[in-house]
C-alpha cells in the first residue's frame, strides 16, 4: 500500500459512537457483551480491507453521573485485549489495536499481554497507550483522584520505555527447538532488562519470545504538548480529534516536526484522526438519519456527556440555553477540554447546542452527507497533510459501519485512495511504519518488511 493512500481504522464502540445509538434500530445494542456481534463487525471490516480494528477502554465506569441505564449502555463491554485475542482466531489480516492505560497497570503485564496478542494474531497487535483521566477510575485502585497531568505523562514516558525494552529482551531466532542437540533456545538469545527508574524497577527478560512484528505497534491518543512529545518518540500511529482542516494540518505538522529530534522520519508515524460519518444516498437522507439519532438523546445524558468532555465539571447549575461557562483547566483530558471550548466559541453554541453537537463524534470531525461529500472531506484533509488516514467511528453498529463500507468505500476506491486488497499480513506492514529508533530492527519507511514479513 503506497504512501499516497489512506489508512483506515474501524473504531468499535459497542453501542455505537452516538450517545443514543444503542436506542436506534440499526444497532445491535447487546454487542458489548456478545462475542458473535464483535466477530461479525470485525469480519465486515476485514472484508472491506480496513487496516485495523480499534477498541477504547477505561478502568471503570466513567460516566458516573448518568442515569444507571445509560451508564450500563456505555460501559458494559469486554476487556479489549481479551476480546481481541478471541477475534484473532476468526480474522487473518486486519490489525487488532486495544487501549490500555499506563496509569493503573504495570509495564511487565502490558508487555506480556500485547506480545501474546501479537503471537496469537500472527503479527497484528497494536497497543493504544493512554493515561487515565477520571477520578472514578482512580477510585478503583485506592486513589483519591488521578495524578496531575504532568505526573501522569512522566509515568507514561517511563512506562513505554520499559515495555519497549521488554519486547526487545529477546533476539530474533532465539528459540531454536533443536531436539537432537537438546537445545530449546540460544543461551545468549535473551537477556535481563535491569531497568531501574523513578517509577519502575523491572528485571526482565519478558517470558515470551520476540513477536512476529518484532514488537507490537504503539498507538498514542494524547494531543497535549507532552502527549505529542511522547507520540513523536514512541508511537507509530496517533489517534486524535480535529474539528477543522486548519486544525488538522497544524496538528499533524507540529507532530511530525518533532520526529527528527528522535531520529525518526515523517513516514514512521501515521496521523489518523477520528471521523464520525452519517451517510445517505442523498444529503436529505443523511440528514434524516442523523436527526433520528439526535431525537433519541435524553437531555440528562447529553449534559453528562459534555461534563465529561470538559473535565468532569458539574454543569447542572447553568442555563442549558445559555453560553458555555468559563471553567478552570482540567487535570483530566486537557486537549479535549480545550477543543470543546474552542468549538463553542467558534460557533457561538449554548450548552445544549454543544452537547447536541458532540453527541456522536465527542469532539471528532463529524460529516453528515452523501458518499461524495464524505470522500471529499477525507481527501481534502489527506491531500493537505492533515491526516494519513482516519479512524472511522460508526454512529451505530453494524448500521453505521455498513453504510460507510457500502456507500463511501466505493467512492474512495474510485479515487484510488484506499487499498483493494491486503499486500502484507502484519499491522506494521499495512501501515508502512517503523518502530521508534533504538528499539528493535527497523525496516525502510513504508516497506513493511524487516527481518520478518511486515515488521
Amino acid at each position: 500500500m503506497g504512501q499516497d493512500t489512506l489508512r483506515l481504522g474501524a473504531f468499535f464502540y459497542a453501542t455505537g459512537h452516538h450517545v443514543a445509538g444503542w436506542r436506534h434500530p440499526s444497532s445491535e445494542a447487546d454487542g458489548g457483551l456478545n462475542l458473535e456481534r464483535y466477530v461479525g463487525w470485525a469480519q465486515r471490516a476485514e472484508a472491506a480491507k480496513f487496516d485495523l480494528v480499534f477498541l477504547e477502554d477505561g478502568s471503570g465506569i466513567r460516566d458516573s453521573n448518568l442515569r444507571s441505564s445509560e451508564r450500563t449502555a456505555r460501559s458494559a463491554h469486554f476487556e479489549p485485549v481479551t476480546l481481541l485475542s478471541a477475534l484473532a482466531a476468526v480474522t487473518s489480516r486486519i490489525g487488532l489495536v486495544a487501549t490500555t492505560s499506563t496509569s493503573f497497570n504495570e509495564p511487565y503485564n502490558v508487555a506480556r499481554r500485547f506480545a501474546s496478542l501479537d503471537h496469537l494474531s500472527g503479527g497484528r497487535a497494536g497497543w493504544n497507550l493512554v493515561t487515565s483521566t477520571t477520578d472514578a477510575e482512580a477510585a478503583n485502585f485506592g486513589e483519591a483522584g488521578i495524578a496531575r497531568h504532568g505526573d501522569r505523562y512522566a509515568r507514561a514516558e517511563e512506562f513505554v520505555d520499559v515495555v519497549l525494552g521488554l519486547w526487545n529482551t529477546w533476539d530474533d531466532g532465539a528459540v531454536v527447538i533443536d531436539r537432537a542437540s537438546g537445545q530449546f533456545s540460544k543461551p545468549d538469545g535473551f537477556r535481563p532488562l535491569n531497568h531501574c527508574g523513578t517509577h519502575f524497577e523491572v528485571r526482565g527478560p519478558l517470558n515470551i519470545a520476540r513477536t512476529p512484528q518484532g514488537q507490537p505497534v504503539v498507538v498514542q491518543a494524547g494531543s497535549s504538548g507532552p502527549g505529542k512529545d511522547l507520540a513523536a518518540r514512541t508511537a507509530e500511529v496517533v489517534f486524535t480529534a480535529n474539528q477543522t482542516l486548519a486544525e488538522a494540518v497544524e496538528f499533524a505538522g507540529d507532530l511530525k516536526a518533532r520526529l527528527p529530534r528522535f531520529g525518526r522520519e515523517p513516514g514512521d508515524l501515521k496521523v489518523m484522526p477520528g471521523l464520525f460519518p452519517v451517510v445517505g444516498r442523498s444529503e436529505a437522507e443523511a440528514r434524516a438519519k442523523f436527526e433520528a439519532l439526535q431525537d433519541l438523546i435524553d437531555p440528562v445524558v447529553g449534559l453528562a456527556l459534555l461534563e465529561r468532555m470538559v473535565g468532569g465539571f458539574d454543569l447542572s447549575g447553568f442555563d442549558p440555553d445559555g453560553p458555555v461557562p468559563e471553567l478552570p483547566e482540567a487535570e483530566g483530558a486537557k486537549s479535549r477540554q480545550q477543543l470543546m471550548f474552542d468549538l463553542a466559541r467558534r460557533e457561538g453554541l449554548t450548552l445544549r447546542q454543544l452537547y447536541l453537537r458532540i453527541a456522536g463524534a465527542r469532539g471528532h470531525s463529524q460529516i453528515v452527507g452523501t458518499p461524495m461529500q464524505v470522500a471529499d472531506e477525507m481527501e481534502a484533509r489527506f491531500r493537505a497533510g492533515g491526516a494519513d488516514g482516519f479512524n472511522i467511528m460508526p454512529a451505530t453498529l453494524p448500521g453505521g459501519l455498513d453504510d460507510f463500507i457500502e456507500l463511501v468505500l466505493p467512492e474512495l476506491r474510485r479515487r484510488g485512495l484506499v487499498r483493494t486488497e491486503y499486500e502484507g499480513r502484519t499491522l506494521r506492514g499495512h501501515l508502512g511504519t517503523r518502530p521508534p529508533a533504538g528499539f528493535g530492527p527497523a525496516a525502510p519507511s513504508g516497506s513493511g518488511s524487516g527481518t520478518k514479513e511486515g515488521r
Side-chain angles (χ1 to χ4, degrees):
M1 187 172 180
Q3 295 299 309
D4 58 344
T5 47
L6 288 165
R7 275 63 180 175
L8 290 178
F11 185 172
F12 292 164
Y13 203 115
T15 56
H17 280 274
H18 194 280
V19 73
W22 69 276
R23 302 178 65 187
H24 194 273
S26 67
S27 72
E28 294 172 334
D30 65 342
L33 296 174
N34 187 322
L35 178 59
E36 290 183 6
R37 303 295 197 198
Y38 278 106
V39 169
W41 305 337
Q43 290 178 340
R44 280 175 166 90
E46 184 168 69
K49 307 302 185 289
F50 275 69
D51 292 80
L52 58 92
V53 166
F54 182 95
L55 299 179
E56 67 88 42
D57 195 42
S59 297
I61 294 179
R62 288 168 289 181
D63 295 322
S64 57
N65 55 346
L66 269 65
R67 297 182 313 183
S68 61
S69 60
E70 302 289 346
R71 288 202 308 270
T72 303
R74 304 293 287 177
S75 302
H77 58 80
F78 296 118
E79 189 283 317
V81 181
T82 306
L83 173 59
L84 291 182
S85 297
L87 295 183
V90 294
T91 57
S92 61
R93 306 296 277 275
I94 196 164
L96 304 169
V97 178
T99 299
T100 298
S101 173
T102 60
S103 300
F104 303 114
N105 284 285
E106 291 294 323
Y108 194 94
N109 295 338
V110 169
R112 187 186 188 201
R113 202 175 299 152
F114 282 94
S116 296
L117 179 60
D118 207 45
H119 277 287
L120 288 169
S121 64
R124 295 184 284 134
W127 168 35
N128 179 41
L129 180 164
V130 301
T131 68
S132 297
T133 60
T134 68
D135 292 343
E137 294 172 272
N140 290 330
F141 297 89
E143 302 290 339
I146 57 167
R148 295 177 62 84
H149 187 270
D151 294 339
R152 294 201 311 276
Y153 270 95
R155 176 184 167 94
E157 290 270 4
E158 187 177 340
F159 193 112
V160 71
D161 284 346
V162 177
V163 170
L164 291 169
L166 286 166
W167 282 338
N168 288 282
T169 52
W170 287 73
D171 294 334
D172 286 320
V175 177
V176 294
I177 313 180
D178 187 337
R179 290 184 174 87
S181 69
Q183 184 182 58
F184 189 88
S185 61
K186 297 177 181 178
D188 60 349
F190 57 96
R191 66 203 62 80
L193 178 65
N194 290 328
H195 174 90
C196 184
T198 303
H199 300 277
F200 307 106
E201 293 186 15
V202 182
R203 179 179 179 274
L206 198 61
N207 58 344
I208 185 168
R210 195 168 183 84
T211 76
Q213 291 187 106
Q215 61 192 50
V217 171
V218 174
V219 181
Q220 225 271 326
S223 298
S224 64
K228 285 187 276 192
D229 279 340
L230 181 61
R233 187 170 71 83
T234 65
E236 295 176 64
V237 177
V238 168
F239 174 49
T240 187
N242 304 127
Q243 281 290 311
T244 67
L245 175 61
E247 288 174 355
V249 171
E250 191 280 330
F251 175 87
D254 179 23
L255 180 60
K256 295 202 174 189
R258 300 172 190 240
L259 292 171
R261 288 162 42 197
F262 305 105
R264 308 185 70 196
E265 300 175 1
D268 294 345
L269 183 150
K270 304 300 181 189
V271 178
M272 296 177 62
L275 177 66
F276 176 87
V278 179
V279 194
R281 288 173 175 80
S282 67
E283 193 169 348
E285 180 184 323
R287 180 59 54 185
K289 286 182 179 181
F290 181 66
E291 292 304 326
L293 286 163
Q294 294 291 87
D295 288 345
L296 296 173
I297 300 171
D298 185 307
V300 173
V301 175
L303 188 63
L305 173 66
L306 180 57
E307 287 176 343
R308 180 157 67 87
M309 292 293 102
V310 298
F313 293 102
D314 183 0
L315 300 175
S316 61
F318 295 95
D319 179 3
D321 295 309
V324 176
E326 296 291 338
L327 296 170
E329 186 177 51
E331 278 299 337
K334 289 179 182 289
S335 58
R336 190 58 55 90
Q337 182 196 44
Q338 189 59 51
L339 187 150
M340 293 294 106
F341 293 157
D342 290 345
L343 174 61
R345 307 290 183 254
R346 183 171 59 247
E347 299 187 11
L349 302 178
T350 65
L351 277 174
R352 189 189 310 277
Q353 290 170 331
L354 182 56
Y355 76 62
L356 288 171
R357 181 78 163 73
I358 68 162
R362 301 190 306 283
H364 294 274
S365 181
Q366 175 176 290
I367 307 176
V368 180
T370 65
M372 184 168 291
Q373 287 171 322
V374 175
D376 284 347
E377 180 70 16
M378 295 174 72
E379 183 171 15
R381 294 203 178 198
F382 178 57
R383 299 297 185 199
D388 298 299
F390 295 90
N391 220 359
I392 303 302
M393 304 166 59
T396 62
L397 283 169
L401 178 64
D402 289 342
D403 283 348
F404 184 86
I405 291 171
E406 293 168 12
L407 299 175
V408 179
L409 272 184
E411 177 63 23
L412 293 174
R413 289 203 171 104
R414 187 185 68 77
R415 303 181 189 199
L417 287 171
V418 294
R419 68 164 57 87
T420 56
E421 294 294 338
Y422 288 113
E423 301 85 10
R425 304 197 71 88
T426 68
L427 175 55
R428 186 169 290 115
H430 300 339
L431 296 169
T433 56
R434 293 196 303 179
F439 292 105
S445 181
S447 72
S449 63
T451 57
K452 296 186 181 180
E453 188 276 323
R455 181 168 300 169

